[in-house]
Amino acid sequence: MAFAELLDRAGGVGLFQALQVFTLFLPSVLVPSHMLIENFSAAVPSHRCWVPLLDNSTAQAGVPGALGPKDLLTVSIPPGPNHEPHRCLRFRQPQWQLLDPNGTATNWSEAATEPCVDGWVYDRSTFTSTFVSEWDLVCDHKGLKPIGQSLYMTGLLIGSFCWGLLSNRFGRKWILNLCCLQVALANIGMIFVSHFFIYCGLRVLGAFAISGIILTSGMLLVEWTTTRRRAVTMTILGCIYSLGQMALGALAFTLRDWRALQLAVSTPFFAIFLICWWLPESARWLIITGKPEQGLQELHKVAKINGHKEATKSLTIEVLMTSMEEEMASAKGHRSVLELFLVPMLRWRTCIMSLVCFSQVTSYYGLVLDLQNLGNDIFLLQLLFGGVDLLARSITAFLLSFLGRRTTLASFQAMSGLSILVNKLVPQDPTVTLFLCPDWQTLRMVFAVLGKGCFGVVFSCVSVYKSELYPTALRMTAAGFLQSVSRLGSVIDPLIRMTQHSLPLLVPVVYSALPITSGLLLLLFLPETQGFPLPDTIQDLENQNSRPRQMNRPFLSDPLGRDHAILTSSLEGTEVRKRSSGLFHGQNHYALLPHL
């Protein structure tokens, strides 16, 4: 009897698990807001140079004749690339000759221009304030915004390493509470800063803590849920993330000032910090780390909440030690990430899956963190992104059952890349839009939402497929390594977007070529795993290549059953082979969560 049976004795799935899901719903629904908030807090409003004739009442008094704002704009600001007022240049002196409808002697481009030495004037019709407008991160300073986003992703990457180690040493509950408090303090601190780089430092601290919340909340849910209900629980958690994306769109629509929005998504973490104290520590972790008495106390607490008070008598320290003897012994084993590259079969699989994970996350964040370039209504886009993500999570199991893992993953990888490519190539020039089609912006939005839905399927599919490619002893080490590779993609993505003005074709080519290429390699060189049981050893993997997979017909009557079982098994993973090896140990369950 292992820990799963001990948990069944404590009531299995009952009131405690429902209360736990509801409690962890609170931080989880806010996590997407912090990861995607810069779609709104860092939105770039329309802007032009400050000019005396338009923005200085004394200068306006000396304007000859009755000239309106449009005429004053014409003589003060040169036209930009889209025939709108230039965002980064102004005339040194008013060009009055441009008001003459017959004047062609002097072209505006021959007139002396200069940068916006006196600052900028921003359109505040959509957002009353963003930190881009507050700190003038436009024109020559526009590269600072993607650098800040890259630093944030670096904080997530470092946090996934550090909190994994710390949660194995100090427990899940303490780390969760500490991270909630750190998120609240760091993100509310951003409201009071007056310098962009101080803001970036606090943002990195917030990202560091956000990764801890994702890690520990997933671990607590997995480790306190029975095997049969584990896939359902993790699906609920994934849907919570989708709801969080939708909630961000609605909240940003209501709060148009970046400080107010930052305060709204950060202040609740103070309350969450207090609420989460009632959660019991993971009994599984306590037992595995040599604290069986404390683990037994937590099991008794859960049994009482679930209404199984008699379990406090039947669950004794002797029963617990006998049940968990194998797990406690195997916890002393060590597994290194280098083992993924020592075996030729695993080396090939790891290299291709690394490219798959890197490409999907790079292209994913290139899509979801660039809403302003995808359509006019970024609030509606955010709502649609959350809704289509929710839909994608619900249909993935059916696709895996009828199309298989490899075909589903490769096809949706290619579809996501093509959607991004078409979206980027659709013209944005208003004159082209009017000449060819009156509704190009809608078309761009459709392909953006389609791409987001494809990514939802891809992330859910990867969580299943990568678990079936590796033997039990290395499954979670592989998952942790692949998760780290994917986080590296999120760090590089903002730097790629920095090149979109100097190399406009590079961004769509990279974002589309990466998922299409990785999907093709996967389709050609990785095996189909549908119909095979989860491999426990390298020999099992070799046997899979030497015999045909089982027929799928037994599963047609229950298309969700096997994929839920596979996902459950992948989450169960190596819980009977727990190890404390290196950086990837703490990421066992986190690496299998749907990406945000």
Side-chain angles (χ1 to χ4, degrees):
M1 181 175 65
F3 183 81
E5 294 188 35
L6 294 177
L7 190 57
D8 284 331
R9 285 196 179 190
V13 176
L15 178 60
F16 164 75
Q17 280 74 19
L19 293 174
Q20 184 192 43
V21 169
F22 179 77
T23 301
L24 294 177
F25 168 88
L26 301 175
S28 298
V29 78
L30 290 173
V31 163
S33 296
H34 286 270
M35 299 185 70
L36 304 176
I37 192 173
E38 287 196 356
N39 277 326
F40 306 98
S41 65
V44 183
S46 298
H47 54 277
R48 60 167 176 81
C49 294
W50 186 96
V51 291
L53 289 181
L54 286 169
D55 307 305
N56 185 296
S57 57
T58 303
Q60 289 176 357
V63 174
L67 297 178
K70 184 177 180 180
D71 294 330
L72 295 178
L73 186 65
T74 301
V75 301
S76 301
I77 305 292
N82 295 328
H83 309 288
E84 296 178 350
H86 203 288
R87 293 187 169 195
C88 301
L89 295 175
R90 69 178 186 179
F91 292 125
R92 295 180 184 273
Q93 298 295 331
Q95 305 296 305
W96 301 109
Q97 73 277 5
L98 296 178
L99 296 179
D100 184 0
N102 298 321
T104 58
T106 304
N107 191 293
W108 72 264
S109 61
E110 298 174 1
T113 59
E114 64 180 359
C116 302
V117 294
D118 294 320
W120 289 263
V121 175
Y122 296 94
D123 177 17
R124 303 189 184 276
S125 60
T126 302
F127 295 99
T128 58
S129 174
T130 69
F131 71 72
V132 169
S133 63
E134 181 166 330
W135 292 315
D136 293 330
L137 304 184
V138 294
C139 298
D140 292 340
H141 303 290
K142 62 186 176 184
L144 293 177
K145 174 186 170 181
I147 289 176
Q149 291 177 337
S150 184
L151 290 173
Y152 181 82
M153 295 301 175
T154 303
L156 289 174
L157 175 62
I158 298 173
S160 65
F161 288 152
C162 296
W163 294 123
L165 294 172
L166 292 173
S167 65
N168 287 326
R169 184 174 181 84
F170 300 107
R172 288 75 160 108
K173 174 185 174 180
W174 287 95
I175 298 300
L176 174 62
N177 283 280
L178 175 62
C179 288
C180 288
L181 182 60
Q182 182 175 330
V183 167
L185 293 175
N187 285 277
I188 290 179
M190 297 176 197
I191 300 172
F192 303 101
V193 302
S194 57
H195 196 279
F196 175 67
F197 289 105
I198 299 177
Y199 166 88
C200 287
L202 292 173
R203 184 98 167 115
V204 171
L205 289 177
F208 188 79
I210 284 290
S211 63
I213 292 175
I214 299 172
L215 169 67
T216 52
S217 61
M219 280 187 172
L220 284 172
L221 283 173
V222 166
E223 294 176 343
W224 276 116
T225 306
T226 59
T227 303
R228 290 183 303 170
R229 302 297 183 186
R230 192 162 296 161
V232 175
T233 301
M234 300 313 292
T235 300
I236 292 174
L237 183 61
C239 292
I240 290 173
Y241 291 145
S242 300
L243 292 174
Q245 295 179 46
M246 300 174 69
L248 173 62
L251 192 61
F253 181 80
T254 305
L255 303 173
R256 303 298 182 95
D257 182 273
W258 79 271
R259 296 180 188 273
L261 181 61
Q262 191 74 51
L263 184 66
V265 300
S266 303
T267 304
F269 277 97
F270 283 118
I272 295 170
F273 167 73
L274 299 175
I275 293 172
C276 287
W277 278 105
W278 81 269
L279 291 171
E281 182 56 87
S282 169
R284 188 190 304 261
W285 172 80
L286 289 169
I287 297 168
I288 291 295
T289 54
K291 302 173 184 177
E293 293 83 5
Q294 297 180 37
L296 184 62
Q297 292 178 5
E298 301 292 7
L299 281 170
H300 286 171
K301 183 190 299 184
V302 170
K304 290 180 181 179
I305 296 175
N306 283 335
H308 288 251
K309 297 182 180 180
E310 68 281 358
T312 57
K313 298 180 180 179
S314 60
L315 282 176
T316 63
I317 191 65
E318 292 79 13
V319 172
L320 185 146
M321 295 297 290
T322 302
S323 303
M324 299 294 291
E325 181 178 0
E326 181 182 353
E327 286 83 347
M328 295 174 68
S330 62
K332 300 177 182 179
H334 294 267
R335 291 290 178 182
S336 170
V337 70
L338 294 178
E339 295 185 40
L340 298 175
F341 298 93
L342 295 178
V343 180
M345 179 185 296
L346 295 182
R347 184 190 311 132
W348 190 238
R349 294 183 179 197
T350 302
C351 289
I352 293 180
M353 287 304 297
S354 295
L355 179 60
V356 169
C357 293
F358 177 85
S359 65
Q360 69 183 22
V361 172
T362 302
S363 300
Y364 172 79
Y365 279 110
L367 180 69
V368 301
L369 290 179
D370 199 26
L371 291 189
Q372 276 196 296
N373 290 324
L374 298 178
N376 290 329
D377 193 339
I378 61 175
F379 307 105
L380 177 60
L381 260 178
Q382 187 63 61
L383 286 170
L384 292 176
F385 275 10
V388 75
D389 191 64
L390 191 65
L391 176 62
R393 295 182 194 278
S394 64
I395 66 171
T396 302
F398 291 100
L399 294 172
L400 292 176
S401 296
F402 295 109
L403 297 180
R405 284 81 163 116
R406 186 177 59 174
T407 303
T408 300
L409 182 54
S411 59
F412 278 88
Q413 280 270 94
M415 288 174 61
S416 63
L418 291 174
S419 297
I420 292 178
L421 181 63
V422 173
N423 177 276
K424 296 292 185 181
L425 294 181
V426 169
Q428 301 184 46
D429 191 328
T431 58
V432 176
T433 300
L434 292 173
F435 178 72
L436 294 176
C437 174
D439 209 14
W440 278 113
Q441 286 299 320
T442 300
L443 182 64
R444 299 186 74 239
M445 183 180 294
V446 167
F447 277 102
V449 174
L450 176 62
K452 181 61 166 64
C454 291
F455 278 120
V457 175
V458 166
F459 282 117
S460 299
C461 184
V462 165
S463 67
V464 175
Y465 187 54
K466 68 184 177 184
S467 302
E468 300 173 336
L469 290 175
Y470 294 94
T472 300
L474 287 170
R475 186 170 298 126
M476 296 307 158
T477 301
F481 174 76
L482 295 176
Q483 180 72 15
S484 300
V485 172
S486 68
R487 285 296 182 196
L488 182 62
S490 67
V491 173
I492 295 175
D493 163 68
L495 304 180
I496 296 175
R497 280 187 279 120
M498 288 179 64
T499 66
Q500 61 186 352
H501 294 285
S502 56
L503 298 171
L505 290 179
L506 178 64
V507 174
V509 168
V510 170
Y511 287 160
S512 58
L514 279 176
I516 292 174
T517 302
S518 62
L520 182 62
L521 291 174
L522 181 148
L523 189 63
L524 293 177
F525 298 108
L526 290 189
E528 175 57 67
T529 58
Q530 185 181 18
F532 288 117
L534 282 176
D536 289 319
T537 63
I538 300 295
Q539 185 62 44
D540 290 341
L541 295 177
E542 295 175 352
N543 292 339
Q544 287 181 0
N545 292 334
S546 61
R547 71 175 188 270
R549 66 180 183 270
Q550 300 169 6
M551 296 298 292
N552 296 329
R553 294 186 180 183
F555 305 115
L556 292 179
S557 60
D558 183 17
L560 291 179
R562 183 173 186 276
D563 294 310
H564 278 185
I566 290 294
L567 180 56
T568 297
S569 299
S570 68
L571 292 167
E572 185 79 15
T574 55
E575 68 179 18
V576 297
R577 289 180 173 86
K578 293 286 185 179
R579 54 207 179 276
S580 55
S581 58
L583 296 176
F584 302 106
H585 176 53
Q587 298 173 317
N588 292 354
H589 307 305
Y590 171 52
L592 294 165
L593 289 175
H595 218 286
L596 298 182

